[in-house]
Amino acid sequence: MSLMEIRNLTKSYDEGEVSTLVLRGLDFKIEKGEFVAVMGPSGSGKSTLLHILGLLERQSGGEYFFGGKQTGEYSEDEIAKVRNKKLGFIFQSFNLLPRTTVLENVKLPLLYSAVMEELWDGLARQAIEAVGLSHRVDFEPSQLSGGEKQRVAIARALVNNPEVIFADEPTGNLDSKSGEVVMEIIQKLHNEMGHTVILITHETYTAEYAERIIRLRDGMIESDTNVLNRRAGKLFQK
């Protein structure tokens, strides 16, 4: 059983009498522990796909199975629980609370979890240590560099030990050096901790950290390529 499977997935947005079809009948599976990059030009539907896979919005048509269950059968409460417990999100804009310490920012997902409050500090500190920011634990976002802010966002995504980490253009606001540091951390989470990673990116160097690249164009799958050691130049086609 695949961790995620979509069948003939469509998504459209309606404005008055105008309907815009963004995703056009996508079919693919993602296995537990995969590192998948979704690439495509602006308007190709990659962020919309992430929002559907991450249960942030529902598809218009087709089916989406998560862990073998059709997500259309989930209630809104069930979706919220799955999203909080099993999914972690890293966004380009960091989405950190200002005037709130690194520790408090990382603890935020635990507020909505079943984890006992006395464990929150320890779990948050472990996640912060995993991204190499223990020396910044009492700093506020305004005192951090862009790369450090993104590492805090990664720690926040990790704190609930999710099955899947969604990274939406995680290096988009960073210089190349900081971007490489962030991608190396994400790759380490995948290699050493076994997280399934779904990366949305338009940058080739970022996608090369993945094991598989799905390319979208005009809401359809243009190619689906398995990659081995891409950064070392070895790849094969599916």
Side-chain angles (χ1 to χ4, degrees):
M1 180 180 67
S2 301
L3 177 62
M4 298 177 178
E5 181 178 357
I6 62 172
R7 301 175 184 171
N8 195 31
L9 191 83
T10 63
K11 180 65 178 180
S12 60
Y13 294 101
D14 299 324
E15 294 184 15
E17 297 181 356
V18 179
S19 180
T20 303
L21 189 59
V22 179
L23 298 177
R24 304 166 183 263
L26 305 187
D27 292 276
F28 64 82
K29 299 177 181 179
I30 294 176
E31 307 300 331
K32 183 177 175 63
E34 276 198 276
F35 188 158
V36 181
V38 179
M39 297 189 72
S42 179
S44 61
K46 56 187 186 295
S47 289
T48 299
L49 177 60
L50 178 142
H51 289 164
I52 293 171
L53 295 179
L55 301 176
L56 298 172
E57 58 182 288
R58 295 183 184 267
Q59 69 268 26
S60 301
E63 297 175 302
Y64 171 30
F65 295 83
F66 183 88
K69 183 174 179 179
Q70 227 280 51
T71 58
E73 299 174 2
Y74 284 72
S75 68
E76 291 301 323
D77 283 346
E78 287 174 319
I79 284 178
K81 288 177 182 177
V82 170
R83 202 164 51 219
N84 181 257
K85 186 177 180 181
K86 297 187 176 183
L87 311 180
F89 297 90
I90 306 165
F91 296 104
Q92 178 179 349
S93 56
F94 316 133
N95 291 346
L96 302 180
L97 293 180
R99 297 181 296 281
T100 304
T101 66
V102 166
L103 181 65
E104 295 300 319
N105 266 286
V106 173
K107 283 165 58 175
L108 278 175
L110 298 172
L111 297 174
Y112 309 99
S113 74
V115 178
M116 293 183 293
E117 187 173 354
E118 56 263 34
L119 300 178
W120 292 358
D121 268 26
L123 290 172
R125 289 179 186 276
Q126 287 177 20
I128 292 166
E129 182 179 357
V131 300
L133 282 181
S134 294
H135 61 300
R136 295 284 192 261
V137 70
D138 294 319
F139 282 43
E140 295 181 1
S142 62
Q143 298 172 290
L144 304 175
S145 68
E148 288 173 332
K149 290 176 184 177
Q150 193 59 289
R151 286 154 68 185
V152 175
I154 294 172
R156 183 182 57 197
L158 280 179
V159 74
N160 272 340
N161 192 28
E163 287 187 48
V164 186
I165 294 175
F166 292 96
D168 190 2
E169 301 280 7
T171 62
N173 284 334
L174 306 178
D175 60 67
S176 58
K177 184 176 180 180
S178 297
E180 287 182 10
V181 170
V182 164
M183 288 309 305
E184 286 167 5
I185 290 172
I186 293 174
Q187 187 177 54
K188 182 178 180 180
L189 296 177
H190 168 256
N191 291 344
E192 298 183 10
M193 300 176 69
H195 291 285
T196 303
V197 177
I198 299 176
L199 168 71
I200 303 296
T201 185
H202 67 279
E203 298 170 325
T204 300
Y205 95 89
T206 304
E208 288 176 352
Y209 284 88
E211 300 167 336
R212 176 182 171 194
I213 300 175
I214 297 173
R215 295 181 185 274
L216 298 184
R217 183 173 294 277
D218 298 328
M220 297 180 289
I221 295 176
E222 184 177 54
S223 64
D224 187 345
T225 306
N226 282 333
V227 179
L228 285 180
N229 298 322
R230 172 76 180 222
R231 294 176 73 80
K234 302 176 183 178
L235 69 93
F236 64 93
Q237 292 287 334
K238 233 178 151 179

